[in-house]
Amino acid sequence: MKLDFFRDEVRCGFYIPTAIKQAWAGSLAVLTEVDKVCQKEGISYFAEWGTLLGAVRHGGFVPWDDDLDIGMRRQDYIRFRRAVERGALSDGFALQDFRNQEDHWLFITRVVNTERMNFDPSHLNRFYNFPYIASIDIFLYDDLYADPEKEKQRCDEIKEILATADGIASGRFHPSTVVKQLELMKQRYGVDFDHAAEPNALGVALYDLAERQMARTKPEESDTVGQIFPWILKGGKGLPKEYYEKTVRLPFEDTTIPVAAAYDQILRSRYGDYFQIHKVWGGHGYPFFEGQKRALEEVAGGKLPTYEFDRNALSCVWDNTADCQIPSDQAYWVKRIIEMKGITGEILFLASGPMNWHGFDSLYRHYANTPGCHVTVVALPMCFKDALGRVTVTDEQADALARVSEYSDNVKITEWWDLDLNHLRFDLVLIQDPYDAQNPVLTIPDWYYCERIRRFAERIVYVPPFYGDDFQPEAANDVYNLKHYVLTPGVVWADLVLLPSETLHKRWLEKLIGWAGKDTADYWEHKLICTASMTSIENHCDEAVETEKQDSHPKKLLWCIGANVLTEEPERILQALRERIRIFDEAKDAVRAKVFLYPADRKKWREIDPQLTDSIMSLLEGETVIDENTEYMNALMEGYHAYYGSPSPLIVAFSRRKKPVMLADYSISG
């Protein structure tokens, strides 16, 4: 996993801290293990539920979700389980289901990276200091009867078996009822049960019987598939079998994941317009590891170590007022910003990476052009640290991690090891990394920690390189993540923290007062400064793009053709593409369209339908086809005015920038 993956970032306006990235990395490690087994054994699987939505809409996790779901057809799952029983999984990984996991009364199989929370240093170093159980869920898809009456009968039988199992395992049934129900199951299914067995063992045997009934439909009796537990039992109808006959691998974070080739039809059947963003997520607690953490704290009889507020920081260094009653209004905030910008003398910028420089850019230009200011910029290396908090790179590697060459030529960089801080004094230090030693995976050189900077800084200003969208107190996942990136040493020790909106100011203030105590309210009011002038790079880019849209002619259109068309529109797609090419050619004085294939790897297309793929590629030979992957496209898309075509993660990016998005319906001519 690349280091940059673990950096805090904002996606779709949602702030994702390193702590959540750890959970993602753990789940991705399990996915890699499952994928290894499936590829070796020739087993087919596909992304499901939120993971399918994330793969198609975001190119990775749904930002406010943190679990991984995959699906398997019954026959593939049987082969997968047998491979696991033969020892196919690497050491430490395990498969859990109702057969081997206590109280796992579900027909969902879980593959985990450890069977219990693990604080062993070797395990932590393997999984990026993440001690909790990371997993992926496997949902099973069975053939459904084409005859609705047969399906209803099967579902009623399964419900009765499960009710019997639950009644026995929970001890609710009288012994005579147990005997009666087991005899009924024997007569109906020809299965003998050990009446002397423990209730839990009988429950497992009955669940096994229920699963066999789920698998009993013959392929020739079915034209649809579905998850019998719980959806078909609740009246669901399943989806056509052909939706799942072929898969295509789509980008997913730093890897790829197979999805059913008819992914657009599947998502539309479940969510309707699935590109509409709804940041409300159910199904499990967020994040998944908090439940494990609470369980561990209950056993331990106390809270796990965490960063605590240091009351020694309670000082108003900025203007040295003891009992300051701070008015939270725009006039006050503007006054403080003017004071900050009026500082002259030695100014130090501590940059945490070229990708974050945009957060400093306007302030850097201000001080660099202000008489009486001498500006120093230090590019800090971001490094991995091991389970014991030690930096795991050499000095030479750290130099490379500073990425000095990636900064703009207009920014003069001082090497991070080239400042003798013991003999320097700065009038103002601006920081971007607030964690000091508190980030669970990453660190900057410790002599640049904020608490230590105070020794040679008159004033410290924390300028977050990006901010999430405004959110209200009921946005539980947004509120939860605040504790990871707000309750940090940089926020405590800085004299000012710059925030872009009054709403975020309120959310940060609520979190900090709840953490440090009501008596600290004035301290945080004094420190957190709301300023509309500190815009994020996204807004800056929006303005630049709007200017370009007004001046650029003809308009540039990104035309996405997704591999889903091979399955969803095989008979119409060639004619539909010819018509679109003709239309764009006739309108070339006003619109220039460039084709983006999703996924970009044409080999993945050919795995679905080689003949149709070759025909499409032949048809596009005269067109401008962009082969870059989505990572590059997110940067390149700034040059495009609108999006047209198939689903891809770029739809979200275009929509966020308020650029037109038009989804193609290739079943309609013209």
Side-chain angles (χ1 to χ4, degrees):
M1 190 71 69
K2 294 180 180 178
L3 182 146
D4 283 347
F5 173 83
F6 292 95
R7 289 178 179 267
D8 289 10
E9 68 172 306
V10 171
R11 299 186 188 179
C12 288
F14 185 81
Y15 199 113
I16 308 163
T18 298
I20 299 299
K21 296 291 191 70
Q22 284 180 288
W24 285 8
S27 297
L28 288 169
V30 182
L31 176 65
T32 298
E33 186 67 20
V34 170
D35 188 75
K36 178 196 72 175
V37 174
C38 289
Q39 296 221 38
K40 181 179 179 180
E41 301 288 336
I43 295 169
S44 178
Y45 75 95
F46 41 87
E48 261 304 349
W49 300 106
T51 303
L52 174 61
L53 179 62
V56 176
R57 193 174 72 186
H58 301 280
F61 286 93
V62 173
W64 37 93
D65 192 20
D66 67 336
D67 67 347
L68 273 177
D69 301 324
I70 64 173
M72 288 185 187
R73 298 286 297 274
R74 175 70 63 178
Q75 58 271 30
D76 285 305
Y77 173 70
I78 291 172
R79 294 173 59 211
F80 178 78
R81 204 175 197 288
R82 287 173 180 167
V84 171
E85 290 170 353
R86 295 194 305 268
L89 292 176
S90 301
D91 289 346
F93 292 92
L95 181 148
Q96 298 176 345
D97 63 7
F98 66 83
R99 295 177 179 85
N100 63 13
Q101 189 68 12
E102 188 176 352
D103 294 328
H104 187 92
W105 298 115
L106 297 169
F107 292 93
I108 300 171
T109 294
R110 186 163 291 148
V111 180
V112 298
N113 69 332
T114 176
E115 298 203 72
R116 60 190 59 83
M117 285 175 276
N118 193 336
F119 290 85
D120 184 87
S122 62
H123 175 84
L124 294 176
N125 291 335
R126 183 181 181 187
F127 292 103
Y128 301 97
N129 302 337
F130 189 67
Y132 303 106
I133 302 169
S135 65
I136 64 172
D137 289 339
I138 303 176
F139 296 91
L140 301 185
Y141 282 73
D142 287 295
D143 289 327
L144 306 180
Y145 285 109
D147 183 342
E149 289 303 316
K150 280 190 174 183
E151 189 55 57
K152 183 179 184 305
Q153 179 183 339
R154 189 246 298 271
C155 287
D156 288 343
E157 291 179 31
I158 292 171
K159 290 176 185 177
E160 184 177 7
I161 295 171
L162 296 181
T164 300
D166 294 343
I168 293 174
S170 65
R172 294 197 311 271
F173 283 0
H174 188 275
S176 63
T177 303
V178 173
V179 172
K180 178 182 176 182
Q181 286 299 109
L182 292 180
E183 186 60 30
L184 175 65
M185 297 301 162
K186 178 180 179 180
Q187 293 175 6
R188 184 179 294 169
Y189 303 107
V191 178
D192 279 319
F193 295 94
D194 181 1
H195 290 227
E198 293 291 328
N200 192 72
L202 285 172
V204 170
L206 285 162
Y207 264 61
D208 182 76
L209 175 62
E211 192 170 65
R212 277 183 271 160
Q213 304 319 304
M214 295 178 191
R216 78 189 189 192
T217 311
K218 298 175 182 176
E220 60 269 20
E221 297 178 291
S222 170
D223 52 21
T224 59
V225 296
Q227 286 175 240
I228 293 180
F229 181 93
W231 307 116
I232 306 305
L233 295 180
K234 291 183 176 182
K237 302 302 181 185
L239 289 170
K241 279 171 136 182
E242 58 263 27
Y243 283 12
Y244 296 94
E245 287 177 354
K246 296 181 179 180
T247 61
V248 59
R249 296 188 79 98
L250 296 184
F252 195 90
E253 299 301 336
D254 70 335
T255 183
T256 62
I257 193 169
V259 304
Y263 53 82
D264 184 53
Q265 290 175 319
I266 293 170
L267 287 170
R268 290 190 182 284
S269 71
R270 289 180 181 165
Y271 306 114
D273 181 4
Y274 60 92
F275 276 96
Q276 288 289 325
I277 301 294
H278 302 285
K279 296 181 183 178
V280 177
W281 204 250
H284 68 88
Y286 175 91
F288 68 77
F289 59 83
E290 271 296 323
Q292 299 178 45
K293 179 182 176 183
R294 287 193 296 271
L296 179 60
E297 289 177 335
E298 288 178 9
V299 172
K303 289 189 175 183
L304 294 176
T306 187
Y307 179 61
E308 300 293 342
F309 177 61
D310 185 351
R311 289 188 172 268
N312 292 325
L314 282 172
S315 60
C316 293
V317 176
W318 190 265
D319 53 10
N320 199 27
T321 54
D323 298 315
C324 44
Q325 297 296 319
I326 306 299
S328 297
D329 56 38
Q330 191 63 34
Y332 169 75
W333 288 327
V334 169
K335 174 178 176 289
R336 297 299 294 276
I337 292 297
I338 291 174
E339 290 174 357
M340 185 189 79
K341 287 193 170 184
I343 292 174
T344 57
E346 295 292 330
I347 314 293
L348 174 63
F349 286 80
L350 296 179
S352 61
M355 70 292 294
N356 292 340
W357 178 254
H358 54 76
F360 273 164
D361 189 58
S362 64
L363 286 170
Y364 172 77
R365 286 187 277 110
H366 167 80
Y367 288 115
N369 294 311
T370 298
C373 287
H374 178 262
V375 176
T376 302
V377 177
V378 173
L380 297 177
M382 189 66 70
C383 308
F384 279 123
K385 62 183 183 181
D386 66 13
L388 300 177
R390 300 171 303 193
V391 174
T392 58
V393 298
T394 65
D395 289 345
E396 291 76 14
Q397 291 170 326
D399 286 344
L401 290 170
R403 300 162 74 164
V404 172
S405 63
E406 298 179 36
Y407 286 84
S408 169
D409 292 338
N410 297 324
V411 180
K412 184 179 179 182
I413 303 293
T414 298
E415 299 287 358
W416 62 275
W417 42 262
D418 204 27
L419 286 185
D420 184 359
L421 300 180
N422 293 321
H423 298 89
L424 293 173
R425 190 76 185 171
F426 290 92
D427 296 279
L428 176 64
V429 177
L430 300 102
I431 66 170
Q432 287 187 314
D433 185 273
Y435 284 106
D436 286 5
Q438 299 305 315
N439 187 294
V441 180
L442 307 175
T443 186
I444 59 175
D446 58 5
W447 53 91
Y448 285 102
Y449 285 173
C450 186
E451 185 174 358
R452 298 180 182 180
I453 291 170
R454 296 185 63 83
R455 302 173 188 172
F456 57 89
E458 291 290 334
R459 300 175 178 88
I460 300 173
V461 175
Y462 171 39
V463 186
F466 38 70
Y467 309 93
D469 289 347
D470 288 351
F471 60 91
Q472 299 305 316
E474 57 269 22
N477 292 5
D478 289 276
V479 170
Y480 169 83
N481 281 348
L482 281 171
K483 76 174 188 177
H484 292 293
Y485 64 90
V486 172
L487 309 185
T488 56
V491 175
V492 170
W493 292 107
D495 297 293
L496 288 184
V497 177
L498 302 185
L499 298 174
S501 72
E502 293 192 36
T503 299
L504 287 182
H505 178 270
K506 290 178 182 177
R507 299 291 85 80
W508 282 51
L509 194 60
E510 291 161 357
K511 178 60 69 173
L512 288 162
I513 293 173
W515 176 54
K518 292 182 180 179
D519 61 322
T520 64
D522 286 345
Y523 172 68
W524 302 117
E525 282 275 18
H526 177 85
K527 177 175 297 200
L528 304 182
I529 303 298
C530 170
T531 168
S533 64
M534 300 293 109
T535 55
S536 70
I537 186 62
E538 186 171 62
N539 293 333
H540 177 73
C541 287
D542 286 347
E543 296 169 1
V545 171
E546 289 301 318
T547 301
E548 180 190 356
K549 287 170 69 175
Q550 296 172 8
D551 298 337
S552 177
H553 208 71
K555 304 302 182 187
K556 295 166 71 175
L557 180 73
L558 184 63
W559 177 18
C560 177
I561 304 175
N564 60 300
V565 301
L566 298 175
T567 298
E568 297 172 357
E569 303 290 348
E571 298 176 357
R572 303 186 184 96
I573 189 60
L574 289 175
Q575 180 59 31
L577 293 179
R578 289 190 190 97
E579 291 178 354
R580 269 60 172 187
I581 290 170
R582 176 184 58 79
I583 291 170
F584 289 138
D585 186 60
E586 291 175 354
K588 63 185 177 183
D589 290 338
V591 177
R592 297 285 175 81
K594 290 188 177 181
V595 175
F596 170 52
L597 298 176
Y598 189 73
D601 187 348
R602 303 178 195 202
K603 293 180 181 178
K604 293 182 173 64
W605 288 58
R606 299 192 86 258
E607 291 172 1
I608 302 175
D609 189 326
Q611 184 175 350
L612 184 53
T613 295
D614 290 344
S615 297
I616 291 175
M617 299 310 160
S618 177
L619 186 63
L620 295 174
E621 280 184 359
E623 304 302 309
T624 302
V625 179
I626 302 169
D627 287 325
E628 286 87 350
N629 59 30
T630 50
E631 180 180 353
Y632 294 111
M633 282 304 303
N634 275 303
L636 290 172
M637 63 164 284
E638 296 298 348
Y640 294 92
H641 300 93
Y643 180 100
Y644 172 77
S646 303
S648 85
L650 290 178
I651 289 179
V652 174
F654 271 78
S655 299
R656 290 280 301 174
R657 288 159 176 78
K658 299 185 177 5
K659 296 183 179 183
V661 171
M662 299 158 283
L663 287 174
D665 185 348
Y666 291 116
S667 66
I668 301 174
S669 299

